[in-house]
mmCIF file of all heavy atoms in Angstrom:
data_model
loop_
_atom_site.group_PDB
_atom_site.id
_atom_site.type_symbol
_atom_site.label_atom_id
_atom_site.label_comp_id
_atom_site.label_asym_id
_atom_site.label_seq_id
_atom_site.Cartn_x
_atom_site.Cartn_y
_atom_site.Cartn_z
ATOM 1 N N ALA A 1 -17.149 -2.146 -7.202
ATOM 2 C CA ALA A 1 -17.301 -1.502 -5.904
ATOM 3 C C ALA A 1 -16.041 -1.598 -5.054
ATOM 4 O O ALA A 1 -15.443 -0.595 -4.682
ATOM 5 C CB ALA A 1 -18.489 -2.122 -5.163
ATOM 6 N N VAL A 2 -15.624 -2.818 -4.771
ATOM 7 C CA VAL A 2 -14.528 -3.013 -3.823
ATOM 8 C C VAL A 2 -13.221 -2.453 -4.363
ATOM 9 O O VAL A 2 -12.502 -1.730 -3.666
ATOM 10 C CB VAL A 2 -14.390 -4.512 -3.473
ATOM 11 C CG1 VAL A 2 -13.188 -4.745 -2.583
ATOM 12 C CG2 VAL A 2 -15.655 -5.016 -2.809
ATOM 13 N N MET A 3 -12.901 -2.743 -5.607
ATOM 14 C CA MET A 3 -11.614 -2.300 -6.138
ATOM 15 C C MET A 3 -11.594 -0.789 -6.366
ATOM 16 O O MET A 3 -10.557 -0.156 -6.195
ATOM 17 C CB MET A 3 -11.284 -3.043 -7.430
ATOM 18 C CG MET A 3 -10.786 -4.433 -7.190
ATOM 19 S SD MET A 3 -9.493 -4.552 -5.937
ATOM 20 C CE MET A 3 -8.253 -3.481 -6.582
ATOM 21 N N VAL A 4 -12.714 -0.215 -6.744
ATOM 22 C CA VAL A 4 -12.754 1.241 -6.898
ATOM 23 C C VAL A 4 -12.525 1.901 -5.540
ATOM 24 O O VAL A 4 -11.738 2.852 -5.411
ATOM 25 C CB VAL A 4 -14.086 1.678 -7.524
ATOM 26 C CG1 VAL A 4 -14.232 3.186 -7.487
ATOM 27 C CG2 VAL A 4 -14.174 1.181 -8.960
ATOM 28 N N LEU A 5 -13.180 1.384 -4.498
ATOM 29 C CA LEU A 5 -12.969 1.909 -3.157
ATOM 30 C C LEU A 5 -11.515 1.726 -2.723
ATOM 31 O O LEU A 5 -10.894 2.629 -2.176
ATOM 32 C CB LEU A 5 -13.912 1.212 -2.171
ATOM 33 C CG LEU A 5 -13.766 1.593 -0.707
ATOM 34 C CD1 LEU A 5 -14.164 3.040 -0.497
ATOM 35 C CD2 LEU A 5 -14.584 0.674 0.158
ATOM 36 N N PHE A 6 -10.958 0.556 -2.998
ATOM 37 C CA PHE A 6 -9.573 0.283 -2.629
ATOM 38 C C PHE A 6 -8.615 1.216 -3.368
ATOM 39 O O PHE A 6 -7.654 1.722 -2.785
ATOM 40 C CB PHE A 6 -9.241 -1.181 -2.931
ATOM 41 C CG PHE A 6 -7.872 -1.590 -2.491
ATOM 42 C CD1 PHE A 6 -7.546 -1.631 -1.154
ATOM 43 C CD2 PHE A 6 -6.907 -1.930 -3.420
ATOM 44 C CE1 PHE A 6 -6.283 -2.001 -0.748
ATOM 45 C CE2 PHE A 6 -5.642 -2.299 -3.024
ATOM 46 C CZ PHE A 6 -5.330 -2.339 -1.687
ATOM 47 N N LEU A 7 -8.882 1.453 -4.638
ATOM 48 C CA LEU A 7 -8.034 2.370 -5.403
ATOM 49 C C LEU A 7 -8.093 3.781 -4.836
ATOM 50 O O LEU A 7 -7.065 4.457 -4.717
ATOM 51 C CB LEU A 7 -8.461 2.380 -6.869
ATOM 52 C CG LEU A 7 -7.758 1.389 -7.781
ATOM 53 C CD1 LEU A 7 -8.363 1.426 -9.163
ATOM 54 C CD2 LEU A 7 -6.283 1.678 -7.864
ATOM 55 N N PHE A 8 -9.284 4.246 -4.487
ATOM 56 C CA PHE A 8 -9.401 5.584 -3.902
ATOM 57 C C PHE A 8 -8.634 5.670 -2.586
ATOM 58 O O PHE A 8 -7.947 6.652 -2.316
ATOM 59 C CB PHE A 8 -10.863 5.962 -3.679
ATOM 60 C CG PHE A 8 -11.524 6.506 -4.912
ATOM 61 C CD1 PHE A 8 -12.640 5.905 -5.435
ATOM 62 C CD2 PHE A 8 -11.012 7.625 -5.546
ATOM 63 C CE1 PHE A 8 -13.248 6.401 -6.573
ATOM 64 C CE2 PHE A 8 -11.610 8.133 -6.676
ATOM 65 C CZ PHE A 8 -12.729 7.524 -7.193
ATOM 66 N N VAL A 9 -8.743 4.640 -1.747
ATOM 67 C CA VAL A 9 -8.043 4.650 -0.459
ATOM 68 C C VAL A 9 -6.536 4.642 -0.674
ATOM 69 O O VAL A 9 -5.795 5.395 -0.039
ATOM 70 C CB VAL A 9 -8.501 3.455 0.404
ATOM 71 C CG1 VAL A 9 -7.606 3.287 1.617
ATOM 72 C CG2 VAL A 9 -9.934 3.633 0.841
ATOM 73 N N VAL A 10 -6.061 3.795 -1.591
ATOM 74 C CA VAL A 10 -4.618 3.712 -1.842
ATOM 75 C C VAL A 10 -4.094 5.021 -2.416
ATOM 76 O O VAL A 10 -3.016 5.495 -2.050
ATOM 77 C CB VAL A 10 -4.317 2.529 -2.788
ATOM 78 C CG1 VAL A 10 -2.912 2.613 -3.332
ATOM 79 C CG2 VAL A 10 -4.505 1.219 -2.054
ATOM 80 N N MET A 11 -4.862 5.642 -3.309
ATOM 81 C CA MET A 11 -4.390 6.874 -3.929
ATOM 82 C C MET A 11 -4.462 8.061 -2.970
ATOM 83 O O MET A 11 -3.682 9.005 -3.098
ATOM 84 C CB MET A 11 -5.190 7.163 -5.202
ATOM 85 C CG MET A 11 -4.922 6.151 -6.298
ATOM 86 S SD MET A 11 -6.016 6.303 -7.691
ATOM 87 C CE MET A 11 -5.444 7.791 -8.431
ATOM 88 N N MET A 12 -5.388 8.039 -2.020
ATOM 89 C CA MET A 12 -5.521 9.167 -1.109
ATOM 90 C C MET A 12 -4.574 9.077 0.076
ATOM 91 O O MET A 12 -4.187 10.091 0.635
ATOM 92 C CB MET A 12 -6.966 9.268 -0.608
ATOM 93 C CG MET A 12 -7.900 9.800 -1.670
ATOM 94 S SD MET A 12 -9.645 9.818 -1.272
ATOM 95 C CE MET A 12 -9.754 9.987 0.438
ATOM 96 N N LEU A 13 -4.190 7.862 0.473
ATOM 97 C CA LEU A 13 -3.295 7.716 1.610
ATOM 98 C C LEU A 13 -1.850 7.900 1.157
ATOM 99 O O LEU A 13 -1.471 7.518 0.051
ATOM 100 C CB LEU A 13 -3.450 6.328 2.239
ATOM 101 C CG LEU A 13 -4.771 6.047 2.929
ATOM 102 C CD1 LEU A 13 -4.790 4.628 3.443
ATOM 103 C CD2 LEU A 13 -4.996 7.006 4.072
ATOM 104 N N ASP A 14 -1.050 8.443 2.027
ATOM 105 C CA ASP A 14 0.374 8.583 1.745
ATOM 106 C C ASP A 14 1.077 7.374 2.373
ATOM 107 O O ASP A 14 1.487 7.396 3.530
ATOM 108 C CB ASP A 14 0.903 9.889 2.334
ATOM 109 C CG ASP A 14 2.331 10.147 1.929
ATOM 110 O OD1 ASP A 14 2.775 9.526 0.945
ATOM 111 O OD2 ASP A 14 3.000 10.944 2.600
ATOM 112 N N ILE A 15 1.192 6.305 1.584
ATOM 113 C CA ILE A 15 1.733 5.053 2.101
ATOM 114 C C ILE A 15 3.241 5.049 1.927
ATOM 115 O O ILE A 15 3.753 5.309 0.834
ATOM 116 C CB ILE A 15 1.106 3.850 1.378
ATOM 117 C CG1 ILE A 15 -0.397 3.825 1.632
ATOM 118 C CG2 ILE A 15 1.736 2.553 1.828
ATOM 119 C CD1 ILE A 15 -1.127 2.770 0.855
ATOM 120 N N ASN A 16 3.956 4.720 2.991
ATOM 121 C CA ASN A 16 5.400 4.583 2.928
ATOM 122 C C ASN A 16 5.711 3.164 2.453
ATOM 123 O O ASN A 16 5.712 2.219 3.241
ATOM 124 C CB ASN A 16 6.019 4.850 4.305
ATOM 125 C CG ASN A 16 7.520 4.922 4.244
ATOM 126 O OD1 ASN A 16 8.123 4.729 3.185
ATOM 127 N ND2 ASN A 16 8.143 5.206 5.376
ATOM 128 N N VAL A 17 5.973 3.022 1.159
ATOM 129 C CA VAL A 17 6.150 1.707 0.556
ATOM 130 C C VAL A 17 7.431 1.052 1.066
ATOM 131 O O VAL A 17 7.465 -0.167 1.287
ATOM 132 C CB VAL A 17 6.165 1.831 -0.982
ATOM 133 C CG1 VAL A 17 6.363 0.482 -1.625
ATOM 134 C CG2 VAL A 17 4.878 2.461 -1.465
ATOM 135 N N ASP A 18 8.476 1.814 1.272
ATOM 136 C CA ASP A 18 9.739 1.235 1.733
ATOM 137 C C ASP A 18 9.593 0.598 3.111
ATOM 138 O O ASP A 18 10.161 -0.459 3.377
ATOM 139 C CB ASP A 18 10.823 2.314 1.779
ATOM 140 C CG ASP A 18 11.151 2.841 0.393
ATOM 141 O OD1 ASP A 18 10.997 2.060 -0.575
ATOM 142 O OD2 ASP A 18 11.534 4.017 0.268
ATOM 143 N N ARG A 19 8.811 1.243 3.969
ATOM 144 C CA ARG A 19 8.593 0.677 5.305
ATOM 145 C C ARG A 19 7.769 -0.605 5.236
ATOM 146 O O ARG A 19 7.980 -1.533 6.017
ATOM 147 C CB ARG A 19 7.889 1.713 6.177
ATOM 148 C CG ARG A 19 7.760 1.288 7.600
ATOM 149 C CD ARG A 19 7.199 2.394 8.449
ATOM 150 N NE ARG A 19 6.782 1.846 9.720
ATOM 151 C CZ ARG A 19 5.770 2.290 10.414
ATOM 152 N NH1 ARG A 19 5.067 3.293 9.986
ATOM 153 N NH2 ARG A 19 5.451 1.751 11.555
ATOM 154 N N LEU A 20 6.819 -0.670 4.303
ATOM 155 C CA LEU A 20 6.009 -1.876 4.160
ATOM 156 C C LEU A 20 6.823 -3.047 3.642
ATOM 157 O O LEU A 20 6.540 -4.201 3.951
ATOM 158 C CB LEU A 20 4.842 -1.617 3.206
ATOM 159 C CG LEU A 20 3.727 -0.720 3.718
ATOM 160 C CD1 LEU A 20 2.707 -0.478 2.624
ATOM 161 C CD2 LEU A 20 3.051 -1.340 4.917
ATOM 162 N N ARG A 21 7.848 -2.769 2.857
ATOM 163 C CA ARG A 21 8.638 -3.840 2.243
ATOM 164 C C ARG A 21 9.822 -4.278 3.096
ATOM 165 O O ARG A 21 10.595 -5.127 2.671
ATOM 166 C CB ARG A 21 9.140 -3.389 0.882
ATOM 167 C CG ARG A 21 8.007 -3.161 -0.097
ATOM 168 C CD ARG A 21 8.518 -3.096 -1.510
ATOM 169 N NE ARG A 21 7.418 -2.942 -2.431
ATOM 170 C CZ ARG A 21 6.737 -3.947 -2.942
ATOM 171 N NH1 ARG A 21 7.035 -5.168 -2.636
ATOM 172 N NH2 ARG A 21 5.753 -3.726 -3.790
ATOM 173 N N GLU A 22 9.968 -3.723 4.288
ATOM 174 C CA GLU A 22 11.110 -4.087 5.116
ATOM 175 C C GLU A 22 11.109 -5.564 5.486
ATOM 176 O O GLU A 22 12.148 -6.205 5.498
ATOM 177 C CB GLU A 22 11.123 -3.233 6.388
ATOM 178 C CG GLU A 22 11.581 -1.822 6.159
ATOM 179 C CD GLU A 22 11.485 -0.979 7.412
ATOM 180 O OE1 GLU A 22 11.026 -1.506 8.451
ATOM 181 O OE2 GLU A 22 11.858 0.199 7.359
ATOM 182 N N GLY A 23 9.954 -6.130 5.797
ATOM 183 C CA GLY A 23 9.890 -7.528 6.221
ATOM 184 C C GLY A 23 9.594 -8.502 5.111
ATOM 185 O O GLY A 23 9.273 -9.659 5.381
ATOM 186 N N PHE A 24 9.704 -8.058 3.836
ATOM 187 C CA PHE A 24 9.340 -8.926 2.714
ATOM 188 C C PHE A 24 10.218 -10.164 2.661
ATOM 189 O O PHE A 24 9.728 -11.289 2.588
ATOM 190 C CB PHE A 24 9.434 -8.143 1.405
ATOM 191 C CG PHE A 24 9.116 -8.960 0.186
ATOM 192 C CD1 PHE A 24 7.809 -9.269 -0.130
ATOM 193 C CD2 PHE A 24 10.126 -9.441 -0.636
ATOM 194 C CE1 PHE A 24 7.499 -10.020 -1.244
ATOM 195 C CE2 PHE A 24 9.832 -10.187 -1.747
ATOM 196 C CZ PHE A 24 8.517 -10.481 -2.055
ATOM 197 N N TRP A 25 11.537 -9.993 2.706
ATOM 198 C CA TRP A 25 12.450 -11.131 2.575
ATOM 199 C C TRP A 25 12.418 -12.006 3.820
ATOM 200 O O TRP A 25 12.692 -13.209 3.746
ATOM 201 C CB TRP A 25 13.866 -10.645 2.303
ATOM 202 C CG TRP A 25 13.968 -9.968 0.975
ATOM 203 C CD1 TRP A 25 14.140 -8.642 0.749
ATOM 204 C CD2 TRP A 25 13.861 -10.583 -0.309
ATOM 205 N NE1 TRP A 25 14.151 -8.384 -0.598
ATOM 206 C CE2 TRP A 25 13.985 -9.573 -1.278
ATOM 207 C CE3 TRP A 25 13.670 -11.889 -0.740
ATOM 208 C CZ2 TRP A 25 13.930 -9.817 -2.635
ATOM 209 C CZ3 TRP A 25 13.615 -12.146 -2.092
ATOM 210 C CH2 TRP A 25 13.734 -11.124 -3.030
ATOM 211 N N LYS A 26 12.062 -11.415 4.942
ATOM 212 C CA LYS A 26 12.001 -12.188 6.180
ATOM 213 C C LYS A 26 10.861 -13.205 6.146
ATOM 214 O O LYS A 26 11.001 -14.324 6.625
ATOM 215 C CB LYS A 26 11.824 -11.213 7.350
ATOM 216 C CG LYS A 26 11.827 -11.858 8.713
ATOM 217 C CD LYS A 26 11.854 -10.768 9.765
ATOM 218 C CE LYS A 26 10.761 -10.974 10.755
ATOM 219 N NZ LYS A 26 10.696 -9.974 11.790
#
């Protein structure tokens, strides 16, 4: 249930991965 829902949300949203990773090293 949870992971299938999460996969659908992740695949349907246009996530800007580069912006999410900006604070990774910080």
Side-chain angles (χ1 to χ4, degrees):
V2 175
M3 282 312 302
V4 171
L5 177 66
F6 184 66
L7 269 175
F8 277 122
V9 169
V10 166
M11 292 171 72
M12 286 174 29
L13 292 178
D14 187 18
I15 298 174
N16 189 358
V17 179
D18 295 331
R19 187 174 166 213
L20 289 176
R21 295 196 177 273
E22 285 176 358
F24 178 77
W25 294 109
K26 184 172 128 181

